[in-house]
PDB file of all heavy atoms in Angstrom:
ATOM      1  N   ARG A   1     114.729  95.766 131.802  1.00  0.00           N
ATOM      2  CA  ARG A   1     114.821  95.701 130.341  1.00  0.00           C
ATOM      3  C   ARG A   1     113.995  94.574 129.730  1.00  0.00           C
ATOM      4  O   ARG A   1     113.714  94.602 128.529  1.00  0.00           O
ATOM      5  CB  ARG A   1     116.293  95.530 129.923  1.00  0.00           C
ATOM      6  CG  ARG A   1     117.176  96.739 130.233  1.00  0.00           C
ATOM      7  CD  ARG A   1     118.553  96.567 129.597  1.00  0.00           C
ATOM      8  NE  ARG A   1     118.434  96.464 128.147  1.00  0.00           N
ATOM      9  CZ  ARG A   1     119.090  95.555 127.422  1.00  0.00           C
ATOM     10  NH1 ARG A   1     119.893  94.670 127.992  1.00  0.00           N
ATOM     11  NH2 ARG A   1     118.947  95.522 126.115  1.00  0.00           N
ATOM     12  N   LEU A   2     113.619  93.585 130.522  1.00  0.00           N
ATOM     13  CA  LEU A   2     112.873  92.443 129.984  1.00  0.00           C
ATOM     14  C   LEU A   2     111.442  92.849 129.633  1.00  0.00           C
ATOM     15  O   LEU A   2     110.690  93.311 130.487  1.00  0.00           O
ATOM     16  CB  LEU A   2     112.855  91.302 130.998  1.00  0.00           C
ATOM     17  CG  LEU A   2     112.101  90.037 130.572  1.00  0.00           C
ATOM     18  CD1 LEU A   2     112.772  89.386 129.363  1.00  0.00           C
ATOM     19  CD2 LEU A   2     112.013  89.053 131.738  1.00  0.00           C
ATOM     20  N   LYS A   3     111.057  92.667 128.384  1.00  0.00           N
ATOM     21  CA  LYS A   3     109.702  93.000 127.934  1.00  0.00           C
ATOM     22  C   LYS A   3     108.800  91.764 127.891  1.00  0.00           C
ATOM     23  O   LYS A   3     107.576  91.883 127.886  1.00  0.00           O
ATOM     24  CB  LYS A   3     109.754  93.665 126.553  1.00  0.00           C
ATOM     25  CG  LYS A   3     110.525  94.988 126.557  1.00  0.00           C
ATOM     26  CD  LYS A   3     110.617  95.615 125.182  1.00  0.00           C
ATOM     27  CE  LYS A   3     109.300  96.235 124.762  1.00  0.00           C
ATOM     28  NZ  LYS A   3     109.440  97.000 123.492  1.00  0.00           N
ATOM     29  N   SER A   4     109.389  90.587 127.847  1.00  0.00           N
ATOM     30  CA  SER A   4     108.619  89.351 127.788  1.00  0.00           C
ATOM     31  C   SER A   4     108.006  89.024 129.145  1.00  0.00           C
ATOM     32  O   SER A   4     108.392  89.580 130.176  1.00  0.00           O
ATOM     33  CB  SER A   4     109.513  88.195 127.337  1.00  0.00           C
ATOM     34  OG  SER A   4     110.075  88.449 126.075  1.00  0.00           O
ATOM     35  N   ASP A   5     107.057  88.092 129.134  1.00  0.00           N
ATOM     36  CA  ASP A   5     106.360  87.641 130.336  1.00  0.00           C
ATOM     37  C   ASP A   5     107.282  86.703 131.115  1.00  0.00           C
ATOM     38  O   ASP A   5     107.603  85.603 130.643  1.00  0.00           O
ATOM     39  CB  ASP A   5     105.071  86.928 129.923  1.00  0.00           C
ATOM     40  CG  ASP A   5     104.165  86.605 131.104  1.00  0.00           C
ATOM     41  OD1 ASP A   5     104.684  86.171 132.155  1.00  0.00           O
ATOM     42  OD2 ASP A   5     102.935  86.762 130.968  1.00  0.00           O
ATOM     43  N   LEU A   6     107.720  87.121 132.310  1.00  0.00           N
ATOM     44  CA  LEU A   6     108.633  86.305 133.101  1.00  0.00           C
ATOM     45  C   LEU A   6     107.966  85.010 133.561  1.00  0.00           C
ATOM     46  O   LEU A   6     108.621  83.956 133.615  1.00  0.00           O
ATOM     47  CB  LEU A   6     109.140  87.103 134.312  1.00  0.00           C
ATOM     48  CG  LEU A   6     110.123  86.366 135.231  1.00  0.00           C
ATOM     49  CD1 LEU A   6     111.392  85.962 134.486  1.00  0.00           C
ATOM     50  CD2 LEU A   6     110.471  87.220 136.457  1.00  0.00           C
ATOM     51  N   LEU A   7     106.689  85.062 133.882  1.00  0.00           N
ATOM     52  CA  LEU A   7     105.997  83.850 134.309  1.00  0.00           C
ATOM     53  C   LEU A   7     106.001  82.805 133.195  1.00  0.00           C
ATOM     54  O   LEU A   7     106.260  81.618 133.437  1.00  0.00           O
ATOM     55  CB  LEU A   7     104.561  84.167 134.724  1.00  0.00           C
ATOM     56  CG  LEU A   7     103.704  82.947 135.101  1.00  0.00           C
ATOM     57  CD1 LEU A   7     104.314  82.200 136.274  1.00  0.00           C
ATOM     58  CD2 LEU A   7     102.272  83.341 135.395  1.00  0.00           C
ATOM     59  N   GLU A   8     105.733  83.235 131.982  1.00  0.00           N
ATOM     60  CA  GLU A   8     105.738  82.318 130.845  1.00  0.00           C
ATOM     61  C   GLU A   8     107.109  81.658 130.687  1.00  0.00           C
ATOM     62  O   GLU A   8     107.214  80.457 130.412  1.00  0.00           O
ATOM     63  CB  GLU A   8     105.371  83.079 129.571  1.00  0.00           C
ATOM     64  CG  GLU A   8     105.319  82.228 128.318  1.00  0.00           C
ATOM     65  CD  GLU A   8     105.039  83.044 127.070  1.00  0.00           C
ATOM     66  OE1 GLU A   8     104.453  84.137 127.192  1.00  0.00           O
ATOM     67  OE2 GLU A   8     105.422  82.595 125.966  1.00  0.00           O
ATOM     68  N   LEU A   9     108.165  82.433 130.892  1.00  0.00           N
ATOM     69  CA  LEU A   9     109.527  81.928 130.781  1.00  0.00           C
ATOM     70  C   LEU A   9     109.814  80.873 131.845  1.00  0.00           C
ATOM     71  O   LEU A   9     110.308  79.778 131.541  1.00  0.00           O
ATOM     72  CB  LEU A   9     110.515  83.094 130.900  1.00  0.00           C
ATOM     73  CG  LEU A   9     112.001  82.741 130.993  1.00  0.00           C
ATOM     74  CD1 LEU A   9     112.480  82.041 129.736  1.00  0.00           C
ATOM     75  CD2 LEU A   9     112.826  83.995 131.266  1.00  0.00           C
ATOM     76  N   LEU A  10     109.512  81.185 133.103  1.00  0.00           N
ATOM     77  CA  LEU A  10     109.822  80.263 134.194  1.00  0.00           C
ATOM     78  C   LEU A  10     108.927  79.030 134.162  1.00  0.00           C
ATOM     79  O   LEU A  10     109.351  77.935 134.550  1.00  0.00           O
ATOM     80  CB  LEU A  10     109.714  80.986 135.545  1.00  0.00           C
ATOM     81  CG  LEU A  10     110.607  82.226 135.707  1.00  0.00           C
ATOM     82  CD1 LEU A  10     110.558  82.724 137.142  1.00  0.00           C
ATOM     83  CD2 LEU A  10     112.040  81.931 135.291  1.00  0.00           C
ATOM     84  N   TRP A  11     107.702  79.208 133.703  1.00  0.00           N
ATOM     85  CA  TRP A  11     106.787  78.069 133.570  1.00  0.00           C
ATOM     86  C   TRP A  11     107.344  77.088 132.533  1.00  0.00           C
ATOM     87  O   TRP A  11     107.355  75.878 132.750  1.00  0.00           O
ATOM     88  CB  TRP A  11     105.396  78.557 133.167  1.00  0.00           C
ATOM     89  CG  TRP A  11     104.332  77.502 133.274  1.00  0.00           C
ATOM     90  CD1 TRP A  11     103.891  76.664 132.297  1.00  0.00           C
ATOM     91  CD2 TRP A  11     103.579  77.182 134.451  1.00  0.00           C
ATOM     92  NE1 TRP A  11     102.910  75.839 132.781  1.00  0.00           N
ATOM     93  CE2 TRP A  11     102.695  76.129 134.102  1.00  0.00           C
ATOM     94  CE3 TRP A  11     103.563  77.672 135.758  1.00  0.00           C
ATOM     95  CZ2 TRP A  11     101.807  75.559 135.013  1.00  0.00           C
ATOM     96  CZ3 TRP A  11     102.674  77.105 136.665  1.00  0.00           C
ATOM     97  CH2 TRP A  11     101.814  76.069 136.305  1.00  0.00           C
ATOM     98  N   ALA A  12     107.829  77.628 131.414  1.00  0.00           N
ATOM     99  CA  ALA A  12     108.396  76.779 130.362  1.00  0.00           C
ATOM    100  C   ALA A  12     109.603  76.002 130.870  1.00  0.00           C
ATOM    101  O   ALA A  12     109.838  74.851 130.466  1.00  0.00           O
ATOM    102  CB  ALA A  12     108.785  77.626 129.160  1.00  0.00           C
ATOM    103  N   ALA A  13     110.363  76.623 131.763  1.00  0.00           N
ATOM    104  CA  ALA A  13     111.576  75.990 132.290  1.00  0.00           C
ATOM    105  C   ALA A  13     111.282  74.972 133.382  1.00  0.00           C
ATOM    106  O   ALA A  13     112.208  74.340 133.906  1.00  0.00           O
ATOM    107  CB  ALA A  13     112.528  77.048 132.818  1.00  0.00           C
ATOM    108  N   THR A  14     110.015  74.804 133.743  1.00  0.00           N
ATOM    109  CA  THR A  14     109.637  73.789 134.732  1.00  0.00           C
ATOM    110  C   THR A  14     108.734  72.719 134.119  1.00  0.00           C
ATOM    111  O   THR A  14     108.189  71.889 134.838  1.00  0.00           O
ATOM    112  CB  THR A  14     108.928  74.425 135.943  1.00  0.00           C
ATOM    113  OG1 THR A  14     107.830  75.236 135.483  1.00  0.00           O
ATOM    114  CG2 THR A  14     109.884  75.296 136.736  1.00  0.00           C
ATOM    115  N   GLU A  15     108.577  72.748 132.788  1.00  0.00           N
ATOM    116  CA  GLU A  15     107.814  71.704 132.111  1.00  0.00           C
ATOM    117  C   GLU A  15     108.643  70.416 132.047  1.00  0.00           C
ATOM    118  O   GLU A  15     109.875  70.443 132.172  1.00  0.00           O
ATOM    119  CB  GLU A  15     107.459  72.142 130.681  1.00  0.00           C
ATOM    120  CG  GLU A  15     106.456  73.289 130.609  1.00  0.00           C
ATOM    121  CD  GLU A  15     105.021  72.836 130.850  1.00  0.00           C
ATOM    122  OE1 GLU A  15     104.806  71.904 131.657  1.00  0.00           O
ATOM    123  OE2 GLU A  15     104.122  73.425 130.232  1.00  0.00           O
ATOM    124  N   ALA A  16     107.969  69.301 131.850  1.00  0.00           N
ATOM    125  CA  ALA A  16     108.663  68.017 131.804  1.00  0.00           C
ATOM    126  C   ALA A  16     109.630  67.948 130.624  1.00  0.00           C
ATOM    127  O   ALA A  16     110.728  67.395 130.728  1.00  0.00           O
ATOM    128  CB  ALA A  16     107.648  66.878 131.729  1.00  0.00           C
ATOM    129  N   ASP A  17     109.225  68.525 129.484  1.00  0.00           N
ATOM    130  CA  ASP A  17     110.115  68.537 128.326  1.00  0.00           C
ATOM    131  C   ASP A  17     110.861  69.865 128.263  1.00  0.00           C
ATOM    132  O   ASP A  17     110.511  70.822 128.940  1.00  0.00           O
ATOM    133  CB  ASP A  17     109.320  68.329 127.036  1.00  0.00           C
ATOM    134  CG  ASP A  17     108.416  69.532 126.751  1.00  0.00           C
ATOM    135  OD1 ASP A  17     107.264  69.540 127.247  1.00  0.00           O
ATOM    136  OD2 ASP A  17     108.860  70.441 126.044  1.00  0.00           O
ATOM    137  N   THR A  18     111.890  69.924 127.424  1.00  0.00           N
ATOM    138  CA  THR A  18     112.667  71.162 127.282  1.00  0.00           C
ATOM    139  C   THR A  18     112.314  71.918 126.011  1.00  0.00           C
ATOM    140  O   THR A  18     112.830  73.010 125.786  1.00  0.00           O
ATOM    141  CB  THR A  18     114.180  70.858 127.294  1.00  0.00           C
ATOM    142  OG1 THR A  18     114.493  70.016 126.174  1.00  0.00           O
ATOM    143  CG2 THR A  18     114.590  70.157 128.570  1.00  0.00           C
ATOM    144  N   GLU A  19     111.447  71.341 125.200  1.00  0.00           N
ATOM    145  CA  GLU A  19     111.101  71.968 123.925  1.00  0.00           C
ATOM    146  C   GLU A  19     110.332  73.273 124.118  1.00  0.00           C
ATOM    147  O   GLU A  19     110.458  74.201 123.324  1.00  0.00           O
ATOM    148  CB  GLU A  19     110.290  70.993 123.063  1.00  0.00           C
ATOM    149  CG  GLU A  19     111.088  69.793 122.588  1.00  0.00           C
ATOM    150  CD  GLU A  19     112.356  70.184 121.846  1.00  0.00           C
ATOM    151  OE1 GLU A  19     112.262  70.983 120.889  1.00  0.00           O
ATOM    152  OE2 GLU A  19     113.441  69.704 122.238  1.00  0.00           O
ATOM    153  N   THR A  20     109.504  73.323 125.161  1.00  0.00           N
ATOM    154  CA  THR A  20     108.718  74.536 125.410  1.00  0.00           C
ATOM    155  C   THR A  20     109.636  75.730 125.629  1.00  0.00           C
ATOM    156  O   THR A  20     109.418  76.814 125.081  1.00  0.00           O
ATOM    157  CB  THR A  20     107.805  74.354 126.638  1.00  0.00           C
ATOM    158  OG1 THR A  20     107.055  73.148 126.475  1.00  0.00           O
ATOM    159  CG2 THR A  20     106.853  75.525 126.789  1.00  0.00           C
ATOM    160  N   LEU A  21     110.689  75.539 126.426  1.00  0.00           N
ATOM    161  CA  LEU A  21     111.652  76.618 126.676  1.00  0.00           C
ATOM    162  C   LEU A  21     112.405  76.984 125.399  1.00  0.00           C
ATOM    163  O   LEU A  21     112.637  78.162 125.121  1.00  0.00           O
ATOM    164  CB  LEU A  21     112.641  76.201 127.768  1.00  0.00           C
ATOM    165  CG  LEU A  21     113.734  77.224 128.117  1.00  0.00           C
ATOM    166  CD1 LEU A  21     113.115  78.502 128.683  1.00  0.00           C
ATOM    167  CD2 LEU A  21     114.738  76.633 129.102  1.00  0.00           C
ATOM    168  N   ALA A  22     112.750  75.992 124.616  1.00  0.00           N
ATOM    169  CA  ALA A  22     113.527  76.236 123.398  1.00  0.00           C
ATOM    170  C   ALA A  22     112.770  77.086 122.389  1.00  0.00           C
ATOM    171  O   ALA A  22     113.382  77.761 121.551  1.00  0.00           O
ATOM    172  CB  ALA A  22     113.916  74.904 122.769  1.00  0.00           C
ATOM    173  N   LYS A  23     111.454  77.092 122.450  1.00  0.00           N
ATOM    174  CA  LYS A  23     110.639  77.843 121.492  1.00  0.00           C
ATOM    175  C   LYS A  23     110.458  79.312 121.870  1.00  0.00           C
ATOM    176  O   LYS A  23     109.971  80.105 121.071  1.00  0.00           O
ATOM    177  CB  LYS A  23     109.265  77.183 121.364  1.00  0.00           C
ATOM    178  CG  LYS A  23     109.307  75.801 120.718  1.00  0.00           C
ATOM    179  CD  LYS A  23     107.931  75.148 120.739  1.00  0.00           C
ATOM    180  CE  LYS A  23     107.995  73.717 120.177  1.00  0.00           C
ATOM    181  NZ  LYS A  23     106.683  73.040 120.291  1.00  0.00           N
ATOM    182  N   ILE A  24     110.828  79.681 123.093  1.00  0.00           N
ATOM    183  CA  ILE A  24     110.606  81.058 123.558  1.00  0.00           C
ATOM    184  C   ILE A  24     111.672  81.997 122.996  1.00  0.00           C
ATOM    185  O   ILE A  24     112.864  81.679 122.975  1.00  0.00           O
ATOM    186  CB  ILE A  24     110.598  81.117 125.098  1.00  0.00           C
ATOM    187  CG1 ILE A  24     109.322  80.456 125.635  1.00  0.00           C
ATOM    188  CG2 ILE A  24     110.700  82.562 125.603  1.00  0.00           C
ATOM    189  CD1 ILE A  24     109.201  80.489 127.138  1.00  0.00           C
ATOM    190  N   GLU A  25     111.224  83.152 122.522  1.00  0.00           N
ATOM    191  CA  GLU A  25     112.132  84.212 122.089  1.00  0.00           C
ATOM    192  C   GLU A  25     111.909  85.419 122.986  1.00  0.00           C
ATOM    193  O   GLU A  25     110.821  85.997 122.998  1.00  0.00           O
ATOM    194  CB  GLU A  25     111.871  84.591 120.624  1.00  0.00           C
ATOM    195  CG  GLU A  25     112.250  83.501 119.631  1.00  0.00           C
ATOM    196  CD  GLU A  25     112.118  83.967 118.192  1.00  0.00           C
ATOM    197  OE1 GLU A  25     112.072  85.199 117.965  1.00  0.00           O
ATOM    198  OE2 GLU A  25     112.057  83.106 117.297  1.00  0.00           O
ATOM    199  N   LEU A  26     112.917  85.785 123.747  1.00  0.00           N
ATOM    200  CA  LEU A  26     112.777  86.893 124.689  1.00  0.00           C
ATOM    201  C   LEU A  26     112.878  88.231 123.984  1.00  0.00           C
ATOM    202  O   LEU A  26     113.678  88.415 123.063  1.00  0.00           O
ATOM    203  CB  LEU A  26     113.853  86.793 125.772  1.00  0.00           C
ATOM    204  CG  LEU A  26     113.754  85.576 126.700  1.00  0.00           C
ATOM    205  CD1 LEU A  26     114.895  85.593 127.702  1.00  0.00           C
ATOM    206  CD2 LEU A  26     112.403  85.543 127.417  1.00  0.00           C
ATOM    207  N   GLN A  27     112.067  89.180 124.449  1.00  0.00           N
ATOM    208  CA  GLN A  27     112.078  90.539 123.919  1.00  0.00           C
ATOM    209  C   GLN A  27     112.677  91.475 124.967  1.00  0.00           C
ATOM    210  O   GLN A  27     112.317  91.402 126.149  1.00  0.00           O
ATOM    211  CB  GLN A  27     110.641  90.992 123.576  1.00  0.00           C
ATOM    212  CG  GLN A  27     109.938  90.093 122.567  1.00  0.00           C
ATOM    213  CD  GLN A  27     110.638  90.068 121.221  1.00  0.00           C
ATOM    214  OE1 GLN A  27     111.047  91.110 120.695  1.00  0.00           O
ATOM    215  NE2 GLN A  27     110.790  88.869 120.651  1.00  0.00           N
ATOM    216  N   TRP A  28     113.559  92.363 124.518  1.00  0.00           N
ATOM    217  CA  TRP A  28     114.269  93.258 125.424  1.00  0.00           C
ATOM    218  C   TRP A  28     114.065  94.718 125.032  1.00  0.00           C
ATOM    219  O   TRP A  28     114.011  95.042 123.844  1.00  0.00           O
ATOM    220  CB  TRP A  28     115.774  92.954 125.423  1.00  0.00           C
ATOM    221  CG  TRP A  28     116.059  91.567 125.891  1.00  0.00           C
ATOM    222  CD1 TRP A  28     116.259  90.462 125.120  1.00  0.00           C
ATOM    223  CD2 TRP A  28     116.142  91.135 127.251  1.00  0.00           C
ATOM    224  NE1 TRP A  28     116.467  89.365 125.915  1.00  0.00           N
ATOM    225  CE2 TRP A  28     116.403  89.741 127.222  1.00  0.00           C
ATOM    226  CE3 TRP A  28     116.021  91.778 128.483  1.00  0.00           C
ATOM    227  CZ2 TRP A  28     116.547  88.992 128.390  1.00  0.00           C
ATOM    228  CZ3 TRP A  28     116.169  91.031 129.636  1.00  0.00           C
ATOM    229  CH2 TRP A  28     116.423  89.661 129.591  1.00  0.00           C
ATOM    230  N   ASP A  29     113.967  95.577 126.027  1.00  0.00           N
ATOM    231  CA  ASP A  29     113.961  97.020 125.794  1.00  0.00           C
ATOM    232  C   ASP A  29     115.314  97.396 125.202  1.00  0.00           C
ATOM    233  O   ASP A  29     116.360  96.976 125.714  1.00  0.00           O
ATOM    234  CB  ASP A  29     113.727  97.753 127.127  1.00  0.00           C
ATOM    235  CG  ASP A  29     113.355  99.212 126.942  1.00  0.00           C
ATOM    236  OD1 ASP A  29     114.048  99.908 126.181  1.00  0.00           O
ATOM    237  OD2 ASP A  29     112.378  99.658 127.580  1.00  0.00           O
ATOM    238  N   ARG A  30     115.309  98.160 124.131  1.00  0.00           N
ATOM    239  CA  ARG A  30     116.573  98.542 123.480  1.00  0.00           C
ATOM    240  C   ARG A  30     117.405  99.463 124.361  1.00  0.00           C
ATOM    241  O   ARG A  30     118.608  99.624 124.146  1.00  0.00           O
ATOM    242  CB  ARG A  30     116.280  99.252 122.160  1.00  0.00           C
ATOM    243  CG  ARG A  30     115.505 100.541 122.335  1.00  0.00           C
ATOM    244  CD  ARG A  30     115.403 101.366 121.071  1.00  0.00           C
ATOM    245  NE  ARG A  30     114.671 102.610 121.300  1.00  0.00           N
ATOM    246  CZ  ARG A  30     115.184 103.669 121.901  1.00  0.00           C
ATOM    247  NH1 ARG A  30     116.432 103.660 122.318  1.00  0.00           N
ATOM    248  NH2 ARG A  30     114.450 104.762 122.081  1.00  0.00           N
ATOM    249  N   ARG A  31     116.770 100.086 125.354  1.00  0.00           N
ATOM    250  CA  ARG A  31     117.482 101.016 126.225  1.00  0.00           C
ATOM    251  C   ARG A  31     118.387 100.283 127.220  1.00  0.00           C
ATOM    252  O   ARG A  31     118.260  99.083 127.437  1.00  0.00           O
ATOM    253  CB  ARG A  31     116.492 101.906 126.984  1.00  0.00           C
ATOM    254  CG  ARG A  31     115.740 102.877 126.087  1.00  0.00           C
ATOM    255  CD  ARG A  31     114.643 103.608 126.851  1.00  0.00           C
ATOM    256  NE  ARG A  31     113.570 102.695 127.262  1.00  0.00           N
ATOM    257  CZ  ARG A  31     112.514 103.068 127.968  1.00  0.00           C
ATOM    258  NH1 ARG A  31     112.378 104.331 128.355  1.00  0.00           N
ATOM    259  NH2 ARG A  31     111.577 102.182 128.292  1.00  0.00           N
TER     260      ARG A  31
END
């Protein structure tokens, strides 16, 4: 169901700051 880029998500969660992750909005398949 995940439509967003998983690499972008996990990369943001391994950055030194947490702001990068906080800015991400995940997109989901409505199904």
Side-chain angles (χ1 to χ4, degrees):
R1 293 189 61 225
L2 180 64
K3 298 178 75 173
S4 301
D5 189 318
L6 180 61
L7 176 60
E8 181 184 336
L9 172 63
L10 303 188
W11 192 267
T14 53
E15 292 282 34
D17 68 272
T18 62
E19 292 305 307
T20 308
L21 179 63
K23 293 175 184 176
I24 289 181
E25 292 186 18
L26 295 179
Q27 302 298 316
W28 298 96
D29 195 311
R30 62 171 181 77
R31 292 172 293 178

